[in-house]
Amino acid sequence: MTYKEKMFNPTLLRVLGVIASLCLIVSGLLVFIVLGGLDPIRWVLAIYFIIFGFLFTLAEFNVKWIITRITFMGNRFGRAMAYLFGGVMVMSLNELFGWFLGGFIVFVAIVNLIGYCCLRDIAGDGKPKDANGNPISSDGTNVPRAGGSSIAGTKSASTSV
């Protein structure tokens, strides 16, 4: 295993992603608790943070329903851009906890982006995959293997509607 493979290990990136997703959820909860007040814009932001945090967490665990509907979360570049968006949104609160939590989320975005750029050959083709690493087609079914058979328990790609 090379240095790059160790540095950008998919398990490490997944753990960092889950922590970043939890930071989004915590940011949303802190906005409600600390900054709640009567500002409805911050309430909407808090709800967005919590929803995005849960969706990003599910995407890190390769939940098929999420990956097929939010396709950009199926590869490192898409995740990097999503974390960058979430981190900047948290930092826009201009609160101390926002700078720390948002800064960490942006750090995770940068690590995912570097991992995407440096390890394209290791990361695969960038197409969404299920938890076992098998490609998922755009309609949510698994792509047939080279022998023409699909993965057990999934719909065949040749099934007509």
Coordinates of all heavy atoms in Angstrom, one line a residue, residues 77-148:
F77 N -15.7 13.7 -5.4 CA -15.8 15.1 -5.8 C -17.1 15.6 -5.4 O -17.2 16.8 -4.8 CB -15.6 15.2 -7.3 CG -15.7 16.6 -7.8 CD1 -14.6 17.4 -7.6 CD2 -16.8 17.1 -8.4 CE1 -14.7 18.8 -8.1 CE2 -16.9 18.4 -8.8 CZ -15.8 19.2 -8.7
G78 N -18.2 14.9 -5.6 CA -19.5 15.4 -5.2 C -19.6 15.6 -3.7 O -20.2 16.5 -3.2
R79 N -19.0 14.6 -2.9 CA -19.1 14.8 -1.5 C -18.2 16.0 -1.0 O -18.6 16.7 -0.1 CB -18.5 13.5 -0.8 CG -19.5 12.4 -0.9 CD -19.0 11.1 -0.3 NE -19.9 10.0 -0.7 CZ -19.9 8.8 -0.1 NH1 -19.1 8.6 0.8 NH2 -20.8 7.9 -0.5
A80 N -17.1 16.2 -1.7 CA -16.3 17.3 -1.4 C -17.0 18.6 -1.6 O -17.0 19.5 -0.7 CB -15.0 17.3 -2.2
M81 N -17.7 18.7 -2.7 CA -18.5 20.0 -2.9 C -19.7 20.1 -2.0 O -20.0 21.2 -1.5 CB -19.0 20.0 -4.4 CG -17.9 20.1 -5.4 SD -17.0 21.6 -5.3 CE -15.4 21.0 -4.7
A82 N -20.3 19.0 -1.6 CA -21.4 19.1 -0.6 C -20.9 19.5 0.7 O -21.5 20.4 1.4 CB -22.1 17.7 -0.5
Y83 N -19.8 18.9 1.2 CA -19.2 19.3 2.5 C -18.7 20.8 2.4 O -18.8 21.5 3.4 CB -18.1 18.4 2.9 CG -18.6 17.1 3.3 CD1 -18.1 15.9 2.8 CD2 -19.6 17.0 4.3 CE1 -18.5 14.7 3.2 CE2 -20.0 15.7 4.7 CZ -19.5 14.6 4.2 OH -20.0 13.4 4.6
L84 N -18.1 21.2 1.3 CA -17.7 22.6 1.2 C -18.9 23.5 1.3 O -18.8 24.5 2.1 CB -17.0 22.8 -0.2 CG -16.4 24.2 -0.4 CD1 -15.3 24.5 0.6 CD2 -15.9 24.3 -1.8
F85 N -20.0 23.2 0.7 CA -21.2 24.0 0.8 C -21.7 24.1 2.3 O -22.0 25.1 2.8 CB -22.3 23.5 -0.1 CG -23.7 24.1 0.1 CD1 -23.9 25.4 -0.4 CD2 -24.7 23.5 0.8 CE1 -25.1 26.0 -0.2 CE2 -25.9 24.0 1.0 CZ -26.1 25.3 0.5
G86 N -21.8 22.9 2.9 CA -22.3 22.8 4.3 C -21.3 23.5 5.2 O -21.8 24.3 6.1
G87 N -20.0 23.4 5.1 CA -19.1 24.1 5.9 C -19.1 25.6 5.8 O -19.1 26.3 6.8
V88 N -19.2 26.1 4.6 CA -19.3 27.5 4.4 C -20.6 28.1 5.0 O -20.7 29.1 5.6 CB -19.2 27.9 2.9 CG1 -19.5 29.3 2.7 CG2 -17.7 27.5 2.5
M89 N -21.7 27.3 4.9 CA -23.0 27.7 5.4 C -22.9 27.8 7.0 O -23.4 28.7 7.6 CB -24.1 26.8 5.0 CG -24.5 26.9 3.6 SD -25.2 28.5 3.2 CE -26.7 28.5 4.1
V90 N -22.2 26.8 7.6 CA -22.1 26.9 9.0 C -21.2 28.0 9.4 O -21.4 28.7 10.4 CB -21.5 25.5 9.6 CG1 -21.1 25.6 11.0 CG2 -22.5 24.4 9.4
M91 N -20.1 28.3 8.7 CA -19.2 29.4 9.0 C -19.9 30.7 8.8 O -19.5 31.7 9.5 CB -18.0 29.3 8.1 CG -17.1 28.2 8.5 SD -15.7 27.9 7.3 CE -14.7 29.3 7.8
S92 N -21.0 30.8 8.0 CA -21.7 32.1 7.8 C -22.5 32.5 9.0 O -23.0 33.7 9.0 CB -22.6 31.9 6.6 OG -23.7 31.1 6.9
L93 N -22.6 31.7 10.0 CA -23.3 32.1 11.2 C -22.5 33.2 12.0 O -23.1 33.9 12.8 CB -23.5 30.9 12.1 CG -24.4 29.8 11.6 CD1 -24.4 28.6 12.5 CD2 -25.8 30.3 11.5
N94 N -21.2 33.3 11.7 CA -20.4 34.3 12.4 C -20.4 34.1 13.9 O -20.4 35.1 14.6 CB -20.7 35.7 12.0 CG -20.2 36.1 10.6 OD1 -19.2 35.5 10.2 ND2 -20.9 36.9 10.0
E95 N -20.4 32.9 14.4 CA -20.3 32.5 15.8 C -19.1 31.7 16.0 O -18.6 31.0 15.0 CB -21.6 31.8 16.2 CG -22.9 32.5 16.1 CD -22.9 33.7 17.1 OE1 -22.3 33.7 18.1 OE2 -23.7 34.7 16.8
L96 N -18.6 31.6 17.2 CA -17.3 30.9 17.4 C -17.5 29.4 17.1 O -16.6 28.8 16.4 CB -16.9 31.1 18.9 CG -15.6 30.5 19.3 CD1 -14.5 31.1 18.5 CD2 -15.3 30.6 20.8
F97 N -18.6 28.8 17.5 CA -18.8 27.4 17.2 C -19.0 27.2 15.7 O -18.6 26.1 15.2 CB -20.0 26.8 18.0 CG -21.3 27.2 17.5 CD1 -22.0 26.6 16.5 CD2 -22.0 28.3 18.1 CE1 -23.2 27.0 16.0 CE2 -23.2 28.7 17.7 CZ -23.9 28.0 16.6
G98 N -19.5 28.2 15.0 CA -19.7 28.0 13.6 C -18.3 28.0 12.9 O -18.2 27.3 11.9
W99 N -17.4 28.8 13.4 CA -16.1 28.9 12.7 C -15.3 27.5 13.0 O -14.7 27.0 12.1 CB -15.2 30.0 13.3 CG -15.7 31.3 12.7 CD1 -16.5 32.3 13.3 CD2 -15.4 31.8 11.4 NE1 -16.7 33.3 12.5 CE2 -16.1 33.1 11.3 CE3 -14.7 31.3 10.3 CZ2 -16.0 33.8 10.1 CZ3 -14.7 32.1 9.1 CH2 -15.3 33.3 9.1
F100 N -15.4 27.0 14.2 CA -14.8 25.7 14.4 C -15.4 24.5 13.7 O -14.7 23.8 13.0 CB -14.7 25.4 16.0 CG -13.7 26.2 16.7 CD1 -14.1 27.2 17.6 CD2 -12.3 26.1 16.4 CE1 -13.2 27.9 18.3 CE2 -11.4 26.9 17.1 CZ -11.8 27.8 18.0
L101 N -16.7 24.4 13.9 CA -17.4 23.3 13.2 C -17.4 23.4 11.7 O -17.1 22.4 11.0 CB -18.8 23.1 13.7 CG -19.0 22.8 15.2 CD1 -20.4 22.8 15.6 CD2 -18.3 21.4 15.5
G102 N -17.6 24.6 11.2 CA -17.6 24.8 9.8 C -16.2 24.7 9.2 O -16.0 24.1 8.1
G103 N -15.2 25.1 9.9 CA -13.8 24.9 9.5 C -13.4 23.5 9.4 O -12.7 23.0 8.4
F104 N -13.9 22.6 10.3 CA -13.6 21.2 10.2 C -14.3 20.6 9.0 O -13.7 19.8 8.3 CB -14.1 20.5 11.5 CG -13.9 19.0 11.4 CD1 -12.6 18.4 11.5 CD2 -14.9 18.1 11.2 CE1 -12.4 17.1 11.4 CE2 -14.7 16.8 11.1 CZ -13.5 16.2 11.2
I105 N -15.6 21.0 8.8 CA -16.3 20.5 7.6 C -15.6 20.9 6.3 O -15.5 20.1 5.4 CB -17.8 21.0 7.6 CG1 -18.5 20.4 8.9 CG2 -18.5 20.5 6.4 CD1 -19.8 21.1 9.2
V106 N -15.1 22.1 6.2 CA -14.4 22.5 5.0 C -13.1 21.7 4.9 O -12.7 21.4 3.8 CB -14.1 24.1 5.1 CG1 -13.1 24.5 4.0 CG2 -15.4 24.8 4.9
F107 N -12.4 21.5 6.0 CA -11.2 20.6 6.0 C -11.5 19.2 5.4 O -10.8 18.7 4.6 CB -10.6 20.5 7.4 CG -9.6 19.4 7.5 CD1 -8.3 19.6 7.1 CD2 -9.9 18.2 8.2 CE1 -7.3 18.6 7.2 CE2 -8.9 17.2 8.3 CZ -7.6 17.4 7.8
V108 N -12.6 18.6 5.8 CA -13.0 17.3 5.3 C -13.3 17.5 3.8 O -13.0 16.6 3.0 CB -14.3 16.8 6.0 CG1 -14.8 15.5 5.4 CG2 -13.9 16.5 7.5
A109 N -13.9 18.6 3.4 CA -14.1 18.8 1.9 C -12.8 18.8 1.2 O -12.7 18.2 0.1 CB -14.9 20.1 1.7
I110 N -11.8 19.5 1.7 CA -10.5 19.7 1.0 C -9.8 18.3 1.0 O -9.3 17.9 -0.1 CB -9.7 20.7 1.7 CG1 -10.3 22.1 1.5 CG2 -8.2 20.7 1.2 CD1 -9.6 23.2 2.4
V111 N -9.9 17.5 2.0 CA -9.3 16.2 2.0 C -10.0 15.3 1.0 O -9.3 14.6 0.2 CB -9.4 15.5 3.4 CG1 -9.0 14.1 3.4 CG2 -8.5 16.3 4.4
N112 N -11.3 15.4 0.9 CA -12.0 14.6 -0.1 C -11.7 15.0 -1.5 O -11.5 14.2 -2.4 CB -13.5 14.7 0.1 CG -14.1 13.6 1.0 OD1 -14.1 12.5 0.7 ND2 -14.4 14.0 2.2
L113 N -11.5 16.3 -1.7 CA -11.1 16.9 -3.0 C -9.7 16.4 -3.4 O -9.5 16.0 -4.6 CB -11.3 18.4 -3.0 CG -11.1 19.1 -4.4 CD1 -12.2 18.6 -5.4 CD2 -11.2 20.6 -4.2
I114 N -8.8 16.5 -2.5 CA -7.4 16.0 -2.8 C -7.5 14.5 -3.1 O -6.8 14.0 -4.0 CB -6.5 16.4 -1.6 CG1 -6.3 17.9 -1.5 CG2 -5.1 15.7 -1.8 CD1 -5.6 18.3 -0.3
G115 N -8.2 13.8 -2.3 CA -8.4 12.3 -2.5 C -8.9 12.0 -3.9 O -8.5 11.1 -4.5
Y116 N -9.9 12.8 -4.3 CA -10.4 12.6 -5.7 C -9.4 12.9 -6.7 O -9.3 12.1 -7.7 CB -11.7 13.5 -5.8 CG -12.2 13.5 -7.3 CD1 -13.0 12.5 -7.7 CD2 -11.9 14.5 -8.1 CE1 -13.5 12.4 -9.0 CE2 -12.4 14.5 -9.4 CZ -13.2 13.5 -9.9 OH -13.6 13.5 -11.1
C117 N -8.7 14.0 -6.6 CA -7.7 14.4 -7.6 C -6.5 13.4 -7.6 O -6.0 13.1 -8.7 CB -7.2 15.8 -7.3 SG -8.5 17.0 -7.6
C118 N -6.0 13.0 -6.5 CA -4.8 12.2 -6.4 C -5.1 10.7 -6.7 O -4.2 10.0 -7.1 CB -4.1 12.3 -5.1 SG -3.5 14.0 -4.8
L119 N -6.2 10.2 -6.4 CA -6.5 8.8 -6.4 C -7.6 8.4 -7.3 O -8.4 7.5 -7.0 CB -6.8 8.3 -5.0 CG -5.7 8.6 -3.9 CD1 -6.2 8.2 -2.6 CD2 -4.5 7.9 -4.3
R120 N -7.7 9.0 -8.5 CA -8.8 8.6 -9.4 C -8.7 7.1 -9.8 O -9.6 6.4 -9.9 CB -8.7 9.4 -10.6 CG -9.2 10.8 -10.4 CD -9.4 11.5 -11.7 NE -9.6 13.0 -11.4 CZ -9.7 13.9 -12.3 NH1 -9.7 13.6 -13.5 NH2 -9.9 15.1 -11.9
D121 N -7.4 6.6 -9.9 CA -7.3 5.2 -10.3 C -7.7 4.3 -9.1 O -8.2 3.2 -9.4 CB -5.8 4.9 -10.7 CG -4.8 5.3 -9.7 OD1 -5.1 6.3 -8.9 OD2 -3.7 4.7 -9.6
I122 N -7.5 4.7 -7.9 CA -7.9 3.9 -6.8 C -9.4 4.1 -6.5 O -10.1 3.1 -6.1 CB -7.0 4.3 -5.5 CG1 -5.6 4.0 -5.8 CG2 -7.5 3.6 -4.3 CD1 -4.6 4.6 -4.8
A123 N -9.9 5.3 -6.6 CA -11.2 5.6 -6.3 C -12.2 5.0 -7.3 O -13.4 4.8 -7.0 CB -11.4 7.1 -6.3
G124 N -11.8 4.5 -8.4 CA -12.7 3.9 -9.4 C -13.1 4.9 -10.4 O -12.5 6.0 -10.6
D125 N -14.2 4.7 -11.0 CA -14.7 5.5 -12.1 C -15.6 6.7 -11.7 O -16.1 7.4 -12.5 CB -15.5 4.7 -13.1 CG -16.6 3.9 -12.5 OD1 -16.9 4.1 -11.3 OD2 -17.2 3.0 -13.2
G126 N -15.8 6.8 -10.4 CA -16.6 7.9 -9.9 C -18.1 7.7 -9.9 O -18.9 8.5 -9.6
K127 N -18.6 6.5 -10.4 CA -20.0 6.2 -10.5 C -20.5 5.7 -9.1 O -19.7 5.1 -8.3 CB -20.3 5.1 -11.5 CG -19.9 5.6 -12.9 CD -20.2 4.6 -14.0 CE -19.9 5.2 -15.3 NZ -20.1 4.2 -16.4
P128 N -21.8 5.9 -8.8 CA -22.3 5.5 -7.5 C -22.2 4.0 -7.3 O -22.4 3.2 -8.2 CB -23.7 5.9 -7.5 CG -23.8 6.9 -8.6 CD -22.7 6.6 -9.6
K129 N -21.8 3.6 -6.1 CA -21.7 2.1 -5.8 C -22.5 1.8 -4.5 O -22.6 2.7 -3.7 CB -20.2 1.8 -5.6 CG -19.4 2.0 -6.9 CD -18.0 1.6 -6.7 CE -17.1 1.7 -7.9 NZ -17.4 2.8 -8.8
D130 N -22.9 0.6 -4.4 CA -23.6 0.2 -3.2 C -22.5 -0.2 -2.1 O -21.3 0.0 -2.3 CB -24.5 -1.0 -3.4 CG -23.8 -2.3 -3.9 OD1 -22.6 -2.3 -3.8 OD2 -24.5 -3.2 -4.3
A131 N -23.0 -0.7 -1.0 CA -22.1 -0.9 0.2 C -21.0 -2.0 -0.2 O -20.0 -2.0 0.4 CB -22.9 -1.4 1.4
N132 N -21.3 -2.8 -1.1 CA -20.3 -3.9 -1.5 C -19.4 -3.4 -2.6 O -18.5 -4.2 -3.1 CB -21.0 -5.1 -2.0 CG -21.9 -5.7 -0.8 OD1 -21.4 -5.7 0.3 ND2 -23.0 -6.3 -1.2
G133 N -19.5 -2.2 -3.1 CA -18.7 -1.7 -4.2 C -19.2 -2.0 -5.5 O -18.5 -1.7 -6.5
N134 N -20.4 -2.5 -5.7 CA -21.0 -2.8 -7.0 C -21.6 -1.6 -7.5 O -22.3 -0.8 -6.8 CB -22.0 -3.9 -6.9 CG -21.4 -5.2 -6.3 OD1 -20.3 -5.6 -6.7 ND2 -22.0 -5.8 -5.4
P135 N -21.5 -1.3 -8.9 CA -22.1 -0.1 -9.4 C -23.6 -0.1 -9.4 O -24.2 -1.2 -9.5 CB -21.6 -0.1 -10.9 CG -20.7 -1.3 -11.0 CD -20.7 -2.1 -9.8
I136 N -24.2 1.1 -9.2 CA -25.6 1.2 -9.2 C -26.0 2.0 -10.4 O -25.5 3.1 -10.7 CB -26.1 1.9 -7.9 CG1 -25.7 1.2 -6.7 CG2 -27.6 2.2 -7.9 CD1 -26.0 1.9 -5.4
S137 N -27.0 1.6 -11.2 CA -27.5 2.3 -12.3 C -28.4 3.4 -11.9 O -28.8 3.6 -10.8 CB -28.2 1.4 -13.3 OG -29.4 0.9 -12.7
S138 N -28.8 4.3 -12.9 CA -29.5 5.5 -12.6 C -31.0 5.1 -12.1 O -31.6 5.9 -11.4 CB -29.6 6.4 -13.8 OG -30.2 5.7 -14.8
D139 N -31.5 3.9 -12.4 CA -32.8 3.6 -12.0 C -32.8 2.9 -10.6 O -33.9 2.4 -10.2 CB -33.6 2.8 -13.0 CG -32.9 1.4 -13.3 OD1 -31.8 1.2 -12.8 OD2 -33.5 0.6 -14.0
G140 N -31.7 2.7 -10.0 CA -31.6 2.1 -8.7 C -31.3 0.7 -8.7 O -31.2 0.1 -7.6
T141 N -31.2 0.0 -9.8 CA -30.8 -1.4 -9.9 C -29.3 -1.5 -10.0 O -28.6 -0.6 -10.4 CB -31.5 -2.1 -11.1 OG1 -31.1 -1.4 -12.3 CG2 -33.0 -2.0 -10.9
N142 N -28.9 -2.7 -9.7 CA -27.5 -3.0 -9.8 C -27.1 -3.3 -11.3 O -27.9 -3.9 -12.0 CB -27.0 -4.1 -8.9 CG -27.0 -3.7 -7.5 OD1 -28.1 -3.5 -6.9 ND2 -25.8 -3.6 -6.9
V143 N -26.0 -2.8 -11.7 CA -25.6 -3.1 -13.1 C -25.2 -4.5 -13.2 O -24.5 -5.0 -12.3 CB -24.4 -2.1 -13.4 CG1 -23.8 -2.4 -14.8 CG2 -24.8 -0.7 -13.3
P144 N -25.5 -5.2 -14.3 CA -25.2 -6.6 -14.5 C -23.7 -6.8 -14.5 O -23.0 -5.9 -15.0 CB -25.8 -7.0 -15.8 CG -26.7 -5.9 -16.2 CD -26.3 -4.7 -15.4
R145 N -23.2 -7.9 -14.0 CA -21.8 -8.2 -14.1 C -21.4 -8.7 -15.5 O -22.3 -8.8 -16.4 CB -21.5 -9.3 -13.1 CG -21.7 -8.9 -11.7 CD -21.2 -9.9 -10.7 NE -21.4 -9.4 -9.4 CZ -21.2 -10.0 -8.3 NH1 -20.7 -11.2 -8.3 NH2 -21.4 -9.5 -7.1
A146 N -20.2 -8.9 -15.7 CA -19.7 -9.2 -17.0 C -20.3 -10.4 -17.6 O -20.5 -10.5 -18.8 CB -18.1 -9.4 -17.0
G147 N -20.7 -11.4 -16.8 CA -21.3 -12.6 -17.3 C -22.7 -12.5 -17.7 O -23.4 -13.4 -18.2
G148 N -23.3 -11.3 -17.5 CA -24.7 -11.0 -17.9 C -25.7 -11.2 -16.7 O -26.8 -10.8 -16.8

